[in-house]
Amino acid sequence: SQTIHQWPATLVQPVGSPLSLECTVEGTSNPNLYWYRQAAGRGLQLLFYSVGIGQISSEVPQNLSASRPQDRQFILSSKKLLLSDSGFYLCAWSKPDTSGNTIYFGEGSWLTVV
Amino acid sequence: TQLLEQSPQFLSIQEGENLTVYCNSSSVFSSLQWYRQEPGEGPVLLVTVVTGGEVKKLKRLTFQFGDARKDSSLHITAAQPGDTGLYLCAGALSGRGSTLGRLYFGRGTQLTVWP
């Protein structure tokens, strides 16, 4: 069966510091990978998605970047965090084919920028 | 602009009551999913519907996909405190985006069931 894991679960970082959130998927090959941000327990905002190694698409311009160095690894980064970057970040994956479009989420990472 | 509009945003009911959550759009979707999320955790998939008019049941939860595939509803019968959570609908647009698995999420309905 497939599993997705992201870390760290919680993070408190000062303004201007760097960020690295990591996500790995097991039990599947060539998944589509996603980073979402969720504010105050509400709807999900898609930040980045990737259909393959080194292929990253950004949905919104922002202070963040994403990388996919390996097939099942997705990293969310920032060089200098802003207060507005605080939130709940979710990594997710979906099957590479077109059927269903079902997305499976990781446990989430709470980021507080102080 | 929100592609999927969920209503109501908040719902607070007593144990044993029935409720319906709606997810509406002017766009046509090739599939639509419902997720449930608890605080501090990632959303968990409840159901995927792909055929217009489709009805799926999951114990006390009934999901319906509109005939035109533009809307969906989630009905819970005899709600229990364990049903408390954030319910999110998400859809894949028909004809584009499906190759990427791109889902558009509603803002969610926060359900609280009191014992």
Side-chain angles (χ1 to χ4, degrees):
Chain A
S1 64
Q2 300 87 4
T3 59
I4 179 169
H5 182 52
Q6 64 178 100
W7 70 94
T10 59
L11 199 59
V12 180
Q13 292 285 106
V15 169
S17 66
L19 169 74
S20 180
L21 298 178
E22 296 192 32
C23 173
T24 58
V25 180
E26 298 294 335
T28 188
S29 296
N30 194 31
N32 298 325
L33 296 173
Y34 310 84
W35 278 110
Y36 285 87
R37 178 167 57 200
Q38 186 175 35
R42 302 303 291 164
L44 298 164
Q45 178 188 33
L46 180 62
L47 302 176
F48 300 95
Y49 63 87
S50 171
V51 298
I53 296 174
Q55 300 178 62
I56 309 294
S57 296
S58 174
E59 284 287 305
V60 292
Q62 58 212 321
N63 185 43
L64 304 169
S65 62
S67 61
R68 184 170 179 172
Q70 300 181 39
D71 180 46
R72 292 169 294 171
Q73 183 185 23
F74 207 22
I75 299 172
L76 183 68
S77 304
S78 174
K79 292 183 179 178
K80 292 184 178 181
L81 283 168
L82 306 172
L83 287 175
S84 59
D85 291 324
S86 293
F88 191 50
Y89 289 82
L90 288 156
C91 182
W93 73 276
S94 67
K95 294 179 180 179
D97 57 40
T98 61
S99 61
N101 304 103
T102 299
I103 285 184
Y104 302 92
F105 289 89
E107 312 95 327
S109 298
W110 279 105
L111 170 65
T112 304
V113 183
V114 297
Chain B
T1 302
Q2 196 71 17
L3 199 62
L4 278 167
E5 295 290 343
Q6 276 189 250
S7 61
Q9 291 187 43
F10 299 94
L11 196 53
S12 182
I13 62 173
Q14 291 294 129
E15 182 176 3
E17 294 183 14
N18 301 331
L19 66 112
T20 302
V21 177
Y22 299 94
C23 182
N24 297 303
S25 177
S26 58
S27 301
V28 178
F29 294 93
S30 61
S31 67
L32 198 140
Q33 288 83 40
W34 284 93
Y35 293 82
R36 177 168 163 267
Q37 184 180 22
E38 298 197 23
E41 299 181 8
V44 175
L45 178 70
L46 296 174
V47 76
T48 298
V49 286
V50 298
T51 305
E54 182 177 4
V55 176
K56 282 192 174 180
K57 291 191 175 183
L58 185 65
K59 296 183 180 178
R60 292 176 294 100
L61 279 60
T62 301
F63 305 86
Q64 185 163 8
F65 200 12
D67 291 341
R69 291 186 289 133
K70 293 183 179 181
D71 52 80
S72 180
S73 64
L74 158 60
H75 182 78
I76 301 179
T77 303
Q80 299 176 1
D83 295 327
T84 294
L86 180 68
Y87 290 82
L88 294 158
C89 68
L93 284 178
S94 180
R96 68 181 172 97
S98 61
T99 55
L100 300 172
R102 174 72 164 94
L103 285 183
Y104 293 85
F105 280 84
R107 293 189 190 278
T109 295
Q110 180 61 52
L111 171 65
T112 303
V113 182
W114 300 98

